[in-house]
Each structure stands twice: as structure tokens, then as C-alpha cells.
Amino acid sequence: MRVIRGVDIVSADEIRELFPALSQEMVRKVLSSLSKKGYLTRLKRGIYLVNEAPGNPSIKNPYRIALALFPGYIAFSSALKLYDLLDYEPFTVFVATPRKSGGRTVGEYTIKAVALGEKATGMTLKDGVYTSTPAKTFFDCFYKPRYCGGYSEITKALYEAEKLDWDEFLGYFKRFASDSLCQRTGYVLELAKNELEIDVPKEVLDYLKGRVGGWTKLVPTLPSRGVGIKEWRLIDNLGKEKILGWAYG
């Protein structure tokens, strides 16, 4: 245990490199024994979390643990937190993956993988972990706002963001977005521009406005009661006060 003390995650391959004289079967038995005694917590086959004390998982970096469980990139509210655009410490860590959705609880954290298919792209290395770029973070949040706290958290994060690569942001809409996603996003961005003076480029709003299709709802899962916005052919069934209330409270 002294050899791996101080690290948070260890793999069977790393143990074999440290002790080349041990057979693969012996390494497996050692790791299994340490796991049963509580010194390690098995994350998945061949990957273990090193505990500070027996039975006490050591969560030094929940993002690294999340990516060890679900290969992909840190996304949604977790990415906002990494970019200092979220006020609170979320104890659910989101990972965007190409194919596999799932969940796992490790210590006080819940790890949630969200499969985005071909949309699982646009990552960078941030603080040693693969994370969506700022522009992709906002695209993902508009795509699935329930994983970042909703539109109020999105508008607040946009307000706090010092700068955003709007060309990159718009590129994801051109590649991946449905008309209804463009309508919802355009409405919220225009609201943020008018009410909060967020510098949303005209070409971004123009493109999104050019994608207006049939009538849609801001929140598809809520009833259709709300204000009809003809310009965006959208029913705001959430309300401006819930989208921007944080700015006026």
C-alpha cells in the first residue's frame, strides 16, 4: 500500500509495471484482497480507487473518477463548474459519452453518463481532465438543459462567461441541431441579449432565426400554457421570470 499511497486511482496494469515479477494472476489476487479489506474501492474491472482509510473512499478528483468509469468528457453542470461558471458544488458529475449511458455512486458523488452519439465531440484538456470546450458546454446545456440546472443556470453562466467562441458555438448548431433546438436557443439568447446586455453576435441570432420551423415549446415536457412568441414560433411555457429571475432577485 505504501507504493500507491498518495494516488487516487490505480490500475492493474500500473501495478504490473511496478512489480514486473508478479504474475497477472497474482496481481489480480492482491488487488482483490486489498479491495475486500477496504483499502481499495473497485471502480470497474482493473481500475481501483485508493482509499485514505479502510472503507473510506478518497475522492480527490471526482472528475478523474468519472472518466475512469465512463470514457468521454466532463459535461453539462460539471463542465460549468470547471470553468467557474457555477456557484454551487454539484455532487452529480456528468460525463458525455458516444454510446453508453449509466450511473454509479462513489462516496458522496453520483456519476452520470449521458450518451450523446455523434454529438459527443468538442473537448479539451482542462485541469488535467477531458472537458467540453466552453462553446460546446453551452451547446450541450441548451441541448439538454435538465443536466445543468435549466435555462436560469445557462443564462447566469453566459452572463458570467468572459468570452465565448461564438463561431464554434454556432458550428455545433449547424452540424447537430434540430429546428426546434434552434428556436429554443435563439429565444433564450435574444432574451439574454435584450435583458442582460450579453453580447450575442447578430449572425448567431440570424442563423437561429433562419431555422424557425413549426411551433414548439420552450420546455417540451411541460404543458403548453404560456406566452406565444411569434418571431420564434415558440410557446414560452416556463416564463421570463424563471429564466432570468436570478438577475433581478
Side-chain angles (χ1 to χ4, degrees), residues 39-55:
Y39 292 106
L40 301 176
T41 296
R42 185 179 184 273
L43 296 177
K44 64 180 182 180
R45 184 175 180 179
I47 305 292
Y48 295 83
L49 179 66
V50 180
N51 297 335
E52 286 185 346

Side-chain angles (χ1 to χ4, degrees), residues 77-95:
S77 60
S78 304
L80 291 178
K81 182 62 178 178
L82 277 170
Y83 288 113
D84 293 322
L85 298 175
L86 200 67
D87 290 338
Y88 60 91
E89 180 68 39
F91 285 93
T92 296
V93 178
F94 288 101
V95 179

Side-chain angles (χ1 to χ4, degrees), residues 52-81:
E52 286 185 346
N56 181 25
S58 174
I59 314 293
K60 297 186 179 74
N61 190 324
Y63 307 110
R64 289 194 64 225
I65 293 169
L67 293 178
L69 284 168
F70 301 103
Y73 62 82
I74 300 300
F76 305 111
S77 60
S78 304
L80 291 178
K81 182 62 178 178

